Amino acid sequence: MRITTLGDTALRIELGDQIDEPTHRRVQAALRALEAARLPAVSELTPAYATVTLFYDPVGAVGAGAPAAGVAGWLEARVREVLANPPKSGTTKGRTVEIPVCYGGDFGPDLGVVAAQADLSPGEVVKRHSRAEYFVHLVGFAPGFAYLGGLPKELATPRRATPRTMVPAGSLGIGGAQTGIYPLVTPGGWNLIGRTPRRMFRPRENPPTLLSAGDRVKFRAITREEFAAMEEGK
Amino acid sequence: MITVLKGGAFTTVQDLGRPGHQRDGVSVGGAVDGLAARVANLLVGNSEGAALLEMTLQGPELVFEEETLLAWCGGGFAARLGAEDLPKDRPVRVPAGGGVAFGAARSGARAWLAVAGGIDVPLVLGSRSTYRRAGFGGHEGRTLKAGDRLPCGAPSEWARPVLAALRNSPRTGTAWSVRPETLGKAAPEGTVRAMRGPEWEWFGAEAQRRFFETPFAVTKDADRMGLCLTGPALATAKPREMISDAVNTGVVQVPPSGQPVVLLTSRQTVGGYPRIAAVAAVDTPRLAQLRPGDALRFEEISLATAHELYIGRERDLNRVRAGLARLTG
């Protein structure tokens, strides 16, 4: 297990280098173990595909006994202690969530790019994308943004060389081997292939995110008319 | 209660952010320069994490209904209290009905205005920070505009005698001041200190050398999320797709264009571009003051040095805290 730094206030704990469910389970197990350990000076633990990032306050760590010249080493040793004997973790049972998407057109300006990359027709890209079942590895980047695994290999498309400064909310994109929906208007570098009328993030509801890590997702292709009807009905 | 006459270019309610929700993709946010916000709050007797106003490039115009204490820190904004100058970095008494007008930033980009008692907006996910991209927190999840009314909390035990002393003084503000810029050991002008990032090794020797030797310029794409820079292209040794991973404030990402992006407090929680470096936490205040066209150089330091600087700065802040406590103690 490799532990590296992410600036002077975070440590990255690497639990693999693949996007797959065994890695996801190791990440979740490490996250639960570190949460239960309540290490001093830790402000937040953030899971990603293959890492848990631990955010800390260097002054708090010194207050808890870390040597001023070796804060990161001291914290790393605490982390290794905790993870050497992690508590047994069951698998969390996720739900299956169906998300309607209107593919192509103005909603998916990069559908053609993905199709060209895959040497398929745009229609075939839509068929393959909506036939697959996806797994939520993590929620991050923006509120409610779910990183999905399970994209058919042939649809993988490199990120755009220059990110768009504004991606509309609900946009469905492909970035490398990853696919997901932008919940808000944000900058973003993924290829946009469609849009959903569903809201991925609602700050005053509990939970605030439509998708959680561990969920399974199916996309259902809808027409522009269905999109408009669902958008009005929300 | 504060009434907003003019919102300014981009004025929001902020505190020290909402850590703990990054796993839902919720940005930590909070004041871009947490140190200036903490000092401004201390200067009016608030807890360091009280909600205050953050202004950008062009400040707001405000009317204070009740007599109160305020303090502002940060960039060099034109600032008036009625017909007089509104002095910076110290407690200032505003009479009931007093008007405060900030103008344009003559230097720097942002400033923080604290009011005794703090801005009393509702907590959302544990913080009063405005998360504008997501449309929640702060005042209605957005920047301030004319006609907005902001409730304030009650001034603290510390604020009341300071206010009373100023009421009987010909001065609007105290003779002494605390400048957050003087806390800790500053980097040379135009420079921020940084450590190598997790993907440092992905970059070729030429890109690594350029990163710490060549100045970059801030482009027009500069906001609370981050600063897009322009300069020598930084290429990875061979093209690689990265598995998206956590980022941190101060992290420098390099998208395939080769032009780096420095992340600020409203950054995303996860990113997919190689992280060549990370700016030391003590130098985020400097990043907060950069505006389009400004030059920026990165100076390499070790993690141990970064921690030493951070701990030293917090020690200085402790002295300020103790000094302020003695004032009314």
Side-chain angles (χ1 to χ4, degrees):
Chain A
M1 185 181 63
R2 209 163 77 102
I3 298 184
T4 66
T5 62
L6 185 62
D8 50 6
T9 57
L11 287 181
R12 284 170 73 243
I13 303 148
E14 294 180 6
L15 297 143
D17 56 5
Q18 298 292 318
I19 298 179
D20 57 26
E21 294 190 29
T23 308
H24 174 85
R25 284 192 291 273
R26 282 200 300 280
V27 166
Q28 291 297 321
L31 176 68
R32 280 193 293 271
L34 289 165
E35 277 175 340
R38 296 184 169 276
L39 294 175
V42 173
S43 59
E44 177 157 19
L45 292 157
T46 305
Y49 278 114
T51 60
V52 172
T53 297
L54 177 156
F55 292 85
Y56 66 92
D57 168 26
V59 172
V62 171
V71 170
W74 182 86
L75 261 176
E76 184 179 331
R78 302 282 89 69
V79 168
R80 288 191 184 278
E81 266 168 40
V82 171
L83 297 185
N85 291 297
K88 282 212 171 60
S89 58
T91 45
T92 37
K93 185 111 178 85
R95 311 158 298 167
T96 298
V97 182
E98 190 188 77
I99 298 180
V101 169
C102 179
Y103 286 94
D106 310 344
F107 289 165
D110 302 325
L111 182 61
V113 174
V114 174
Q117 160 91 15
D119 200 14
L120 295 169
S121 68
E124 187 60 24
V125 170
V126 171
K127 201 170 130 197
R128 294 186 188 200
H129 191 273
S130 56
R131 200 169 52 196
E133 187 184 75
Y134 301 88
F135 179 74
V136 180
H137 286 272
L138 76 135
V139 176
F141 175 72
F145 184 92
Y147 285 85
L148 303 175
L151 181 71
K153 277 193 177 57
E154 65 276 17
L155 302 185
T157 310
R159 294 179 180 84
R160 293 163 54 84
T162 305
R164 284 189 173 89
T165 52
M166 206 186 89
V167 174
S171 294
L172 171 63
I174 291 178
Q178 302 166 68
T179 188
I181 292 172
Y182 286 90
L184 309 167
V185 178
T186 59
W190 289 16
N191 300 284
L192 307 182
I193 61 166
R195 200 179 299 173
T196 180
R198 293 290 301 272
R199 284 163 62 207
M200 308 303 290
F201 183 74
R202 301 145 301 178
R204 280 168 194 83
E205 285 172 41
N206 188 20
T209 57
L210 179 65
L211 298 175
S212 300
D215 286 347
R216 284 174 203 284
V217 175
K218 291 280 291 178
F219 293 110
R220 181 167 60 86
I222 57 168
T223 63
R224 198 127 194 160
E225 290 69 33
E226 288 174 293
F227 182 99
M230 292 170 93
E231 197 176 38
E232 281 159 11
K234 79 180 180 187
Chain B
M1 189 70 82
I2 302 171
T3 302
V4 178
L5 298 184
K6 281 188 187 169
F10 195 98
T11 307
T12 52
V13 176
Q14 296 294 339
D15 57 16
L16 299 179
R18 43 175 70 80
H21 301 282
Q22 291 192 75
R23 72 182 60 178
D24 288 333
V26 174
S27 177
V28 175
V32 179
D33 175 355
L35 178 69
R38 291 162 74 196
V39 170
N41 271 321
L42 285 172
L43 288 171
V44 296
N46 289 349
S47 67
E48 289 168 37
L52 77 179
L53 299 183
E54 175 179 287
M55 63 191 85
T56 310
L57 295 175
Q58 175 75 38
E61 293 187 25
L62 312 164
V63 173
F64 290 78
E65 231 158 74
E66 299 91 19
E67 177 195 49
T68 190
L69 210 53
L70 56 79
W72 71 284
C73 296
F77 283 70
R80 315 283 295 170
L81 167 59
E84 292 181 68
D85 274 342
L86 178 68
K88 208 177 156 200
D89 301 315
R90 71 196 71 207
V92 175
R93 173 185 164 262
V94 179
V100 165
F102 286 90
R106 288 174 295 218
S107 63
R110 293 186 174 86
W112 291 268
L113 172 68
V115 183
I119 309 286
D120 190 16
V121 292
L123 285 167
V124 182
L125 298 173
S127 165
R128 296 186 167 83
S129 286
T130 307
Y131 192 174
R132 197 190 60 117
R133 255 171 230 284
F136 69 85
H139 182 71
E140 299 176 0
R142 59 168 171 81
T143 55
L144 297 185
K145 60 181 189 201
D148 285 344
R149 285 165 60 77
L150 305 170
C152 300
S156 67
E157 292 288 331
W158 185 92
R160 275 177 263 155
V162 175
L163 193 56
L166 285 171
R167 197 180 298 132
N168 300 318
S169 152
R171 307 181 59 99
T172 52
T174 59
W176 53 270
S177 63
V178 177
R179 291 186 58 220
E181 297 82 0
T182 62
L183 304 178
K185 196 172 148 208
E189 184 119 354
T191 299
V192 292
R193 292 159 291 199
M195 291 141 282
R196 295 177 180 189
E199 284 74 49
W200 168 262
E201 300 296 341
W202 288 22
F203 292 85
E206 182 63 13
Q208 291 179 344
R209 192 184 57 75
R210 281 172 175 173
F211 182 74
F212 283 118
E213 282 182 9
T214 321
F216 292 86
V218 178
T219 70
K220 63 174 177 38
D221 292 320
D223 60 15
R224 283 177 45 84
M225 253 181 113
L227 306 169
C228 295
L229 306 180
T230 175
L234 305 170
T236 49
K238 54 177 183 200
R240 290 170 84 158
E241 273 289 326
M242 194 182 123
I243 299 180
S244 289
D245 192 26
V247 290
N248 196 355
T249 300
V251 160
V252 185
Q253 292 184 317
V254 183
S257 67
Q259 300 294 299
V261 181
V262 189
L263 301 178
L264 298 180
T265 173
S266 276
R267 62 177 170 80
Q268 68 271 27
T269 57
V270 172
Y273 297 123
R275 298 154 292 187
I276 192 170
V279 175
V282 284
D283 285 341
T284 6
R286 183 155 289 174
L287 295 174
Q289 295 302 341
L290 293 173
R291 55 163 93 188
D294 282 350
L296 175 65
R297 199 181 273 274
F298 297 95
E299 177 194 320
E300 186 174 7
I301 59 168
S302 69
L303 178 66
T305 303
H307 283 152
E308 194 185 304
L309 289 166
Y310 186 90
I311 291 163
R313 188 196 75 182
E314 291 299 307
R315 198 181 298 127
D316 287 355
L317 185 62
N318 263 334
R319 287 198 197 99
V320 168
R321 245 184 242 127
L324 291 172
R326 274 198 301 277
L327 261 184
T328 58

